[in-house]
Amino acid sequence: MAIVTLLAGKERPVIQRHPWIFSGAIKKGAASIEHGAVVDVHTNDGAWLARGTWSSDSQIRVRLFTWDTDEVLDEALLRRRIERAYEGRRLHPATSDTNAYRLVYAESDGLPGLIVDQYGDYLVVQFLTQGMEARAETIVKILADILQPRGIYERSDADIRNKEGLQPNEGVRWGDLPPELLTIQDHMLSFYLSLPEGQKTGFYLDQSINRRRVAAYCDGADVLDCFSYTGGLTLPAAQAGATHITAVDSSQTALEMLRANLELNQLTIPIDTTTGDVFKLLRQYREEGRQFDVVILDPPKFAHNQSQVERATRGYKDINLLAMQIVRRGGILVTFSCSGLISADLFQKIVFGASLDAQRDVQILERLTQAPDHPILLTFPEGAYLKGLICRVW
Ligand code: SAH
């Protein structure tokens, strides 16, 4: 097995079981290690530390999967880890009333580079590292065996694949091709989604618990749902008794699906769907003096790498400031950030800055995070990315 030796002083995170080794921590690793091959990681003094898979092209050169010398990356290990991930989901009460959830959340489930989402009878997989790519067939076989789905669909089109030097890959890996439109059940609502066309793997599963938390503020309210996508937050708001909803998204397809989703659930409240740029529309609403009881901001990831953090910060500040200016006194602002590089602390500071500029008193009523099917492993805090604040704006 190839050996990767760390520079002196770089072993601490490995000892603390952080699963990533960056290229800058490596003293020597043979230039010829095969993509995705298993490597043993040694200290500068030659002591064995951990075992991982090699990514030749990524700044994250090794993803560790075990700190036990006896454990090897074979089919049995993959099976044990997938079974454990599945058991964790089944044990959780939140999965009892939904048939769509994240089954495997990569590093957090001891399977760096592997995402598996369950949507009813179908599974969607993403192989995001060379290590997982090399084991894709075995993983598909294990998933088919344990979960007996109708089909397993690959959506390895995420940005991270580029960093790994991997081409995007999409299509049926096992069983049937999923129907063009799939219906899933999430709590008391049904949603259409398209596995090949939808964003992420099709749906924003990470918001599942938050849907109900946000809905609790929408009874009798005039709601503005910004970045609505297919209505993940619009529908719960409608069901909770909103009197009017304005849903805004840049994707017309998403908004068409949102309307279809309302119909699917026989929700007939008055709704405006507006295809456009939230940044511009919020300004327009402010100029027009439009006011809302509840404003929801659930933007896409603004910061994909460290160099984008400053710009992302300005973006978050901008929309939060505008949103505060159009919330009625005593109304509600629900604001999210799914950029992992923006910490919960920094996010709160941004919202604070916006409140000063808006000259409004803003109280945090609730703090939200990603759903429990996206668990955060204590040794891998980077797994936490979604944060939200429900605020009252005076
Ligand atoms: N709230 C949704 C998820 C939102 S994802 C849910 O719970 O399902 C972010 C959405 O923002 C995407 O649908 C994307 O199309 C949209 N988007 C991205 N940039 C935008 C912009 N500048 N203006 C409006 N919508 C935008």
Side-chain angles (χ1 to χ4, degrees), residues 79-316:
R79 181 179 284 272
R80 278 198 306 280
R81 299 266 166 105
I82 291 171
E83 273 170 351
R84 192 179 80 170
Y86 183 39
E87 192 191 350
R89 296 339 184 251
R90 271 183 312 171
L91 286 174
H92 198 282
T95 50
S96 65
D97 61 358
T98 172
N99 64 1
Y101 53 90
R102 178 147 296 185
L103 194 66
V104 175
Y105 180 38
E107 276 80 353
S108 294
D109 283 307
L111 292 161
L114 178 66
I115 301 282
V116 184
D117 289 341
Q118 170 138 31
Y119 291 111
D121 297 333
Y122 293 87
L123 299 180
V124 179
V125 287
Q126 290 186 321
F127 304 108
L128 302 175
T129 59
Q130 292 181 359
M132 283 301 163
E133 176 76 4
R135 289 157 189 86
E137 254 175 59
T138 313
I139 290 164
V140 166
K141 193 178 112 197
I142 296 169
L143 287 171
D145 190 39
I146 298 178
L147 287 130
Q148 314 261 314
R150 281 182 69 168
I152 301 179
Y153 194 83
E154 179 174 358
R155 273 289 303 260
S156 299
D157 50 6
D159 296 348
I160 330 179
R161 294 261 305 186
N162 298 330
K163 297 185 187 162
E164 292 274 324
L166 297 168
Q167 295 302 311
N169 209 5
E170 186 173 338
V172 180
R173 290 299 296 238
W174 186 89
D176 296 349
L177 175 72
E180 222 160 278
L181 273 189
L182 214 83
T183 313
I184 54 145
Q185 194 66 37
D186 183 63
H187 194 47
M188 281 147 62
L189 290 165
S190 305
F191 290 90
Y192 288 121
L193 59 97
S194 159
L195 295 188
E197 302 295 332
Q199 297 181 17
K200 285 187 121 179
T201 62
F203 198 60
Y204 289 85
L205 296 168
D206 51 2
Q207 289 284 29
S208 75
I209 292 212
N210 300 335
R211 297 185 212 294
R212 286 162 242 172
R213 304 279 289 274
V214 173
Y217 295 87
C218 296
D219 189 8
D222 183 3
V223 177
L224 173 63
D225 184 11
C226 299
F227 309 98
S228 65
Y229 188 49
T230 58
L233 294 163
T234 323
L235 266 73
Q239 193 178 45
T243 49
H244 184 272
I245 303 185
T246 309
V248 183
D249 202 281
S250 52
S251 158
Q252 196 178 337
T253 329
L255 290 173
E256 278 162 16
M257 191 92 96
L258 184 153
R259 285 192 173 271
N261 280 332
L262 284 167
E263 220 167 281
L264 177 67
N265 293 276
Q266 283 145 15
L267 293 165
T268 52
I269 67 147
I271 175 143
D272 290 329
T273 47
T274 305
T275 312
D277 176 16
V278 165
F279 287 80
K280 286 197 190 130
L281 264 159
L282 287 176
R283 280 201 166 72
Q284 186 190 318
Y285 291 153
R286 184 183 61 186
E287 306 318 309
E288 293 169 358
R290 285 211 37 200
Q291 299 253 290
F292 298 89
D293 301 316
V294 176
V295 177
I296 301 169
L297 300 174
D298 184 19
K301 194 165 164 179
F302 285 164
H304 295 267
N305 57 55
Q306 202 58 45
S307 73
Q308 295 173 344
V309 168
E310 212 185 296
R311 194 155 167 251
T313 301
R314 284 200 300 274
Y316 287 121

Side-chain angles (χ1 to χ4, degrees), residues 2-3 28-37 39 54 56:
I3 291 172
K28 78 175 183 242
S32 60
I33 303 175
E34 216 178 292
H35 292 187
V39 296
W54 181 254
S56 59

